Structures are given as C-alpha cells and as structure tokens.
Amino acid sequence: MKIYKFLSLLLIAFTLITISSCSNNDDDEVQNTEPGNLQIKFENGFNNLGNIVLNQTIQTSSSGQKHQFSTLKYVISNISLIDENGTEFKYNYNNPDKGAFIINQADAKGGIVYANLTEIPKGNYKKIKLGLGISPTAYLIGQDGQGIFWDKAKQEGMAWSWSAGYIFARIEGKYGTSSADTEFMNHTGNMGDTTVNGTADLYREVVLDLPTTARVSKEITPSIHILADFNQYLSGQTALTLTQANQMAMGSSPHLVSVSNNLIQMFKVDHVHND
C-alpha cells in the first residue's frame, strides 16, 4: 500500500512538472513568433563596383559613349520576402505611403542608401522581390490614398502633376564620345492610367535569390546588401546610345521602355548579414 501511494505521488509530481514545462515551452513559442525588422542596403555602381560619386565617376558604355551622373534616383516599392516554404510576405503591397522608398544616390552614406522595413513576420527568407517604380494598381488608389509618399516624391523631384504621376527613375548627367560634356536627362515613368491612355507601363518587378538565408526574428535584424549595376542603363540587354533625339527624354517613350527593361536587370544581392 505504501509503495502504491509513493508511486501515485511520484506520478502526480511528474505530471505537474510536465504540464509546467509544456506551459513554459508554449510561452516561449508565443514569444518566438513576434515579428522583427529587416534592412535593405542599396549600393549603386558600375559592373558590380559600388559607390558612384555624382559628377565624378565616369563609365564607358558598350557603344563607346562616356557618361557620368549628376542625379541618380529611383523608386523601390512592392517589396516581398519569400521564405523556405515558398510563402510570400508582401510588405505594404500597393501602399506607397508605407511601402515605397526613394533611393537617392545623393543620400548615400559610405556608398549605401538604406531602406528599413518593420513588422516583418518571423521567418527564414530565401528570396526578395522588388518593384521598380509604382505599380498601376497603386497609382489607381488615388492621390488621397498615398498623400505621404506623393508629397515626398514631389519634394524629391520624383513626380510630375498628379494626372501624370510618378517618376520611376531619374537619371541626369553628361555624356559624350571623347569626354562627357553634353547634358542628358532621362526620366522614366508611367503617364497616368496606362490602360486608359494607351501608354506603355514602365513598372517592373524582379525576384532575387539570397545567397544566405535572412533569419528574421525579434532578436535578429538581417541586412540584405543589394548592388545596383548602372552599367545596365546603356549596356544592358539592349545596348543604347544617347543622341539628340533621346538625351532629354521623359515619360514612356520607346527609348525609356528600353531603359526600364535594362534597369530592372541591374539588381543583385551581394550578401546578407544576420546580426
């Protein structure tokens, strides 16, 4: 009888310990699901060599033209993260006020322009998707639905009138054959409602593999270092030459369609830090 009572007490004690342990594990599991943050570093350069210095760095295109930039800005939006299971987290998708960033080379610190993302679900992310410009869907939510970013775009010179919309990429500088001495200005962007206007849609998206898994958690804020190779501008999938016909191009002309197709190819993830 005493042995039976002893075993019964032992069983009860073991059960209580197990319940307490499970409860603690459950609490830990709840804490572990808290969202974290993510930083994206954009480094603009030529041929995967970063840190373009405005008004100084000179590049020679595949067509033999020399060019340098005095202004280099572009809009990144509709960022998505794709985890190890193929699940896609869309970061403020089609919401420019919260999910769009202007990458301005004039703001670079040590050659880097930063975009900080918050409230990212905990996960192990293998891919990142970027939009270059503002999607037609986002534009059609109207000016009231994106007033914060619209005001910022106007201040940064990344907008026309509201009926025309946003400038997606603003590239200005000088070009020439023996030296860069002729001014050029290429501003890509959709012209209002592209379906109604029958104009080209210059919004582009790209999916990039991460060489190292970005492990987002409350404790870890990964940084994804992206190189933007602006050699693609004139020497990408379509070799382009600046001329009097396109050196002052704005909107969605055939030349700027080719520029957009080239620029979306310029992004590459160099490395990921999990710090």
Side-chain angles (χ1 to χ4, degrees), residues 58-107:
I58 295 177
Q59 175 71 358
T60 302
S61 72
S62 60
S63 299
Q65 282 190 328
K66 297 183 182 302
H67 57 284
Q68 66 176 192
F69 300 139
S70 59
T71 299
L72 183 60
K73 304 180 183 183
Y74 53 93
V75 174
I76 293 294
S77 68
N78 283 1
I79 299 170
S80 288
L81 297 167
I82 302 167
D83 70 15
E84 56 196 351
N85 300 315
T87 303
E88 182 177 359
F89 168 68
K90 296 183 176 182
Y91 184 76
N92 294 307
Y93 217 70
N94 289 324
N95 182 353
D97 276 357
K98 295 183 177 181
F101 302 88
I102 296 173
I103 309 303
N104 182 356
Q105 185 62 17
D107 295 334

Side-chain angles (χ1 to χ4, degrees), residues 175-201:
Y175 77 97
T177 302
S178 57
S179 63
D181 53 12
T182 301
E183 291 188 358
F184 76 92
M185 179 177 66
N186 279 187
H187 295 179
T188 73
N190 288 354
M191 302 304 290
D193 186 334
T194 56
T195 301
V196 172
N197 296 337
T199 52
D201 176 12

Side-chain angles (χ1 to χ4, degrees), residues 148-220:
I148 296 173
F149 186 72
W150 176 251
D151 288 342
K152 182 178 181 179
K154 287 194 297 183
Q155 292 170 6
E156 291 267 8
M158 295 297 286
W160 293 299
S161 66
W162 173 251
S163 60
Y166 294 99
I167 296 172
F168 294 174
R170 179 170 180 160
I171 305 173
E172 300 173 4
K174 294 182 178 180
Y175 77 97
T177 302
S178 57
S179 63
D181 53 12
T182 301
E183 291 188 358
F184 76 92
M185 179 177 66
N186 279 187
H187 295 179
T188 73
N190 288 354
M191 302 304 290
D193 186 334
T194 56
T195 301
V196 172
N197 296 337
T199 52
D201 176 12
L202 300 192
Y203 174 72
R204 300 287 185 270
E205 290 185 343
V206 64
V207 178
L208 306 171
D209 291 326
L210 303 183
T212 304
T213 301
R215 304 184 184 281
V216 176
S217 69
K218 183 182 178 182
E219 294 78 22
I220 299 175

Side-chain angles (χ1 to χ4, degrees), residues 190-257:
N190 288 354
M191 302 304 290
D193 186 334
T194 56
T195 301
V196 172
N197 296 337
T199 52
D201 176 12
L202 300 192
Y203 174 72
R204 300 287 185 270
E205 290 185 343
V206 64
V207 178
L208 306 171
D209 291 326
L210 303 183
T212 304
T213 301
R215 304 184 184 281
V216 176
S217 69
K218 183 182 178 182
E219 294 78 22
I220 299 175
T221 299
S223 63
I224 299 175
H225 191 127
I226 294 178
L227 295 177
D229 178 13
F230 271 87
N231 192 52
Q232 296 291 320
Y233 167 50
L234 298 178
S235 308
Q237 67 179 31
T238 300
L240 300 174
T241 302
L242 290 169
T243 67
Q244 288 185 344
N246 60 32
Q247 65 189 21
M248 294 294 173
M250 294 182 288
S252 55
S253 66
H255 167 70
L256 294 178
V257 170

